[in-house]
Amino acid sequence: MEKYLIKTFTGLEQVLANELTALGAENVKAVSRGVLCEGSDRLMYRANLELRTGLRVYKHLADFDASSPDALYYGIGDFDWESILPRNGTFWVTSTANRTEWVLNTMIVTLKTKDAIVDKLRVGETRPNIERDRPDLRVHTYVHDGQGSVWLDSTGDPLFKRGYRLRTLEAPINEVLAAGILSIAEYSAATPLVDPMCGSGTFLIEAARMAMNIPSQNERQFFAFMNWPDFDAKRWQVVRQQALSRVHRGQIAPIIGSDLERRAIRYADRNIHQSGLSKRIELHEADFFKVSAPFEKGKLIMNPPYDERLSIERGAAWYGDIGHALKHYWSGWEANVVSGFMDGLYSLKLTPKRKIPLDNGGIPVELWRIPLYAGSKFDTLQSEPDSDVVTEDNTFHSEED
Ligand SMILES: C[S@@+](CC[C@H](N)C(=O)[O-])C[C@H]1O[C@@H](n2cnc3c(N)ncnc32)[C@H](O)[C@@H]1O
């Protein structure tokens, strides 16, 4: 049994732990921005192919004392590198470190790791070389409280690079975060889903792939583990075939996206086409303020823009209009609103049943899960909607449909 560390974004640790448990991982333990677990090579193949909320899968090699640069050098050098890297092979080193006095910056950890590996394998003129793109091995050294550990990155390009997103507008949501938000929102194939500010369509595509059980890395041809000497191509093919045989090709509840901008709809359409989901996702060019719920119940998911050029007051007032529209045109639904603009979220004037802090590429955001009860006691808005908010020319389901 091998030990693995799978990295994710802050706030998605438990979702990732659940995914790993479902894949058969053992001793699953959520840690900060990651999950530790145990399993076989097969688990590692499945994790890379199927995880929706994982960023990278590291395989554990060794633990050692790292209380000084020399201790780290000898600790790395103790590992049997001959068994996994040819003397003239290529490798790349990354590192993270914290709470260790001698590590003023991670460069020293990276350099010491590189020297230890090269010195261990060097014979005369022959030595392994550094290569950034597609090396034989990607080594990651981690130093914490003077303790070191060394890992192999089995992934390569991070797992949010799904391969379907050809075009994006400003501020697209990360694919891994989008998948995590859908899980936290308890989205399932049986629930209609609407993203009325869909941008390049990330939520729509991730939702359809989840509903149909399409492996998250369906399009990807290369993972770093394929360069390892123990790569078992037959086992990998079996894992891939089995994952494809679990794809659900039956009916799923409607998935509908709309956006005010024609360019967004064009990009979303291209991305949806690229992922082969054109028959599963409906797209409309529409203003959120002129549409209403197309069914009695469902999940609305949205990541409204926050233009920093706007004043906080104008931004908050705009979010107030969103809250107003949600209350009047989406009752019976659950709204899931993600934003880094906290004043905006409070200006919705709707009471969430849960607020979940998340991280969008270094920007702290919150997901608010808001049940929109008809005639809810949570309704705090006084005014009625303007009479012109629903127009006849909208392309999506208006109140007049
Ligand atoms: C932050 S982006 C959403 C990004 C999207 N989640 C993605 O992954 O690409 C916000 C989107 O809201 C759209 N938008 C702004 N105001 C709108 C409105 N009144 N109705 C519909 N869409 C609107 C913008 O055109 C933009 O595409």
Coordinates of all heavy atoms in Angstrom, one line a residue, residues 5-8 16 48 51 53-58 94 138 140 153-160:
L5 N -0.7 12.1 -1.2 CA -1.2 13.4 -0.8 C -1.8 14.0 -2.0 O -1.1 14.2 -3.1 CB 0.0 14.3 -0.3 CG -0.4 15.8 -0.1 CD1 -1.4 16.0 1.0 CD2 0.9 16.6 0.3
I6 N -3.1 14.4 -1.9 CA -3.7 15.0 -3.1 C -4.0 16.4 -2.7 O -4.7 16.7 -1.7 CB -5.0 14.2 -3.5 CG1 -4.7 12.8 -3.8 CG2 -5.7 14.9 -4.6 CD1 -4.7 11.8 -2.8
K7 N -3.6 17.3 -3.5 CA -3.8 18.8 -3.2 C -5.1 19.3 -3.8 O -5.6 18.8 -4.8 CB -2.6 19.6 -3.9 CG -1.3 19.2 -3.4 CD -1.1 19.5 -1.9 CE -1.1 21.0 -1.6 NZ -0.9 21.2 -0.1
T8 N -5.7 20.3 -3.1 CA -6.9 20.9 -3.5 C -6.9 22.4 -3.1 O -5.9 22.8 -2.5 CB -8.1 20.2 -3.1 OG1 -9.3 20.7 -3.8 CG2 -8.4 20.3 -1.6
L16 N -13.1 16.6 -1.4 CA -12.1 15.7 -2.0 C -11.9 14.4 -1.2 O -11.8 13.3 -1.8 CB -10.7 16.5 -2.0 CG -9.5 15.7 -2.5 CD1 -9.7 15.2 -4.0 CD2 -8.2 16.5 -2.5
N48 N -6.1 10.3 -10.6 CA -5.7 11.3 -11.7 C -6.8 11.4 -12.7 O -7.1 12.5 -13.3 CB -4.4 10.8 -12.3 CG -3.2 11.4 -11.5 OD1 -3.0 12.6 -11.5 ND2 -2.5 10.5 -10.9
L51 N -10.8 12.3 -10.3 CA -11.1 13.3 -9.3 C -11.6 14.6 -9.9 O -10.9 15.1 -10.8 CB -9.9 13.5 -8.4 CG -9.5 12.4 -7.4 CD1 -8.2 12.8 -6.6 CD2 -10.6 12.2 -6.4
T53 N -12.2 17.3 -7.7 CA -11.7 18.4 -6.9 C -10.2 18.3 -6.5 O -9.8 19.0 -5.6 CB -12.6 18.5 -5.6 OG1 -12.6 17.3 -4.9 CG2 -14.0 18.9 -6.0
G54 N -9.5 17.4 -7.1 CA -8.1 17.3 -6.8 C -7.3 18.1 -7.8 O -7.7 18.3 -9.0
L55 N -6.1 18.6 -7.4 CA -5.3 19.4 -8.3 C -4.1 18.7 -8.7 O -3.6 18.8 -9.8 CB -4.8 20.7 -7.6 CG -5.8 21.8 -7.3 CD1 -5.3 22.8 -6.3 CD2 -6.2 22.5 -8.6
R56 N -3.6 17.8 -7.8 CA -2.3 17.1 -8.1 C -2.2 15.9 -7.1 O -2.6 16.0 -6.0 CB -1.2 18.0 -7.7 CG 0.0 18.0 -8.6 CD 0.9 19.1 -8.2 NE 0.9 20.3 -9.1 CZ 1.3 20.3 -10.3 NH1 1.8 19.2 -10.9 NH2 1.2 21.4 -11.1
V57 N -1.7 14.8 -7.6 CA -1.6 13.6 -6.8 C -0.1 13.3 -6.6 O 0.6 13.0 -7.5 CB -2.3 12.4 -7.5 CG1 -2.2 11.1 -6.6 CG2 -3.7 12.7 -7.8
Y58 N 0.3 13.4 -5.3 CA 1.7 13.1 -5.0 C 1.8 11.7 -4.3 O 1.0 11.4 -3.4 CB 2.2 14.1 -3.9 CG 2.4 15.5 -4.4 CD1 1.7 16.6 -4.0 CD2 3.4 15.8 -5.4 CE1 1.9 17.9 -4.4 CE2 3.6 17.1 -5.9 CZ 2.9 18.1 -5.4 OH 3.1 19.4 -5.8
T94 N 10.3 20.7 -7.2 CA 9.6 21.8 -6.6 C 9.6 21.5 -5.1 O 9.9 20.4 -4.7 CB 8.1 21.8 -7.1 OG1 7.5 20.6 -6.9 CG2 8.0 22.2 -8.6
R138 N 9.1 14.1 -11.6 CA 8.8 15.4 -10.9 C 8.8 15.1 -9.4 O 8.0 14.4 -8.9 CB 7.4 15.9 -11.3 CG 7.3 16.3 -12.7 CD 5.9 16.7 -13.0 NE 5.8 17.1 -14.4 CZ 6.0 18.4 -14.8 NH1 6.3 19.3 -13.9 NH2 6.0 18.7 -16.0
H140 N 8.9 16.4 -5.5 CA 8.5 17.5 -4.6 C 9.0 17.3 -3.2 O 8.7 16.2 -2.6 CB 6.9 17.6 -4.6 CG 6.5 18.8 -3.9 ND1 6.5 20.1 -4.4 CD2 6.0 19.0 -2.6 CE1 6.0 21.0 -3.6 NE2 5.7 20.3 -2.4
D153 N 5.4 13.7 -8.0 CA 4.2 14.2 -8.6 C 3.7 13.3 -9.7 O 4.5 13.1 -10.7 CB 4.5 15.6 -9.1 CG 3.3 16.2 -9.9 OD1 2.2 15.6 -9.9 OD2 3.4 17.3 -10.5
S154 N 2.6 12.6 -9.5 CA 2.2 11.7 -10.5 C 1.3 12.3 -11.6 O 0.9 11.7 -12.6 CB 1.3 10.5 -9.9 OG 0.1 11.1 -9.4
T155 N 1.1 13.6 -11.5 CA 0.1 14.3 -12.3 C 0.7 15.0 -13.5 O 0.3 14.8 -14.6 CB -0.8 15.3 -11.5 OG1 -1.4 14.5 -10.4 CG2 -1.9 15.9 -12.3
G156 N 1.6 15.9 -13.2 CA 2.2 16.8 -14.3 C 1.3 18.1 -14.3 O 1.2 18.7 -13.3
D157 N 0.8 18.4 -15.5 CA -0.1 19.6 -15.6 C -1.2 19.4 -14.6 O -1.8 18.4 -14.5 CB -0.7 19.7 -17.0 CG 0.3 20.3 -18.0 OD1 1.3 20.9 -17.5 OD2 0.0 20.2 -19.2
P158 N -1.5 20.5 -13.8 CA -2.5 20.4 -12.8 C -3.9 19.9 -13.3 O -4.2 20.2 -14.5 CB -2.6 21.8 -12.2 CG -2.0 22.7 -13.1 CD -1.0 21.8 -13.9
L159 N -4.7 19.3 -12.5 CA -5.9 18.6 -12.9 C -7.0 19.6 -13.2 O -8.0 19.2 -13.8 CB -6.4 17.6 -11.9 CG -5.4 16.4 -11.7 CD1 -5.8 15.5 -10.5 CD2 -5.3 15.6 -13.0
F160 N -6.9 20.9 -12.9 CA -7.9 21.8 -13.4 C -7.8 22.0 -14.9 O -8.8 22.5 -15.5 CB -7.9 23.1 -12.6 CG -6.7 24.0 -12.8 CD1 -6.6 24.7 -14.0 CD2 -5.7 24.1 -11.9 CE1 -5.4 25.5 -14.2 CE2 -4.6 24.9 -12.0 CZ -4.5 25.6 -13.2

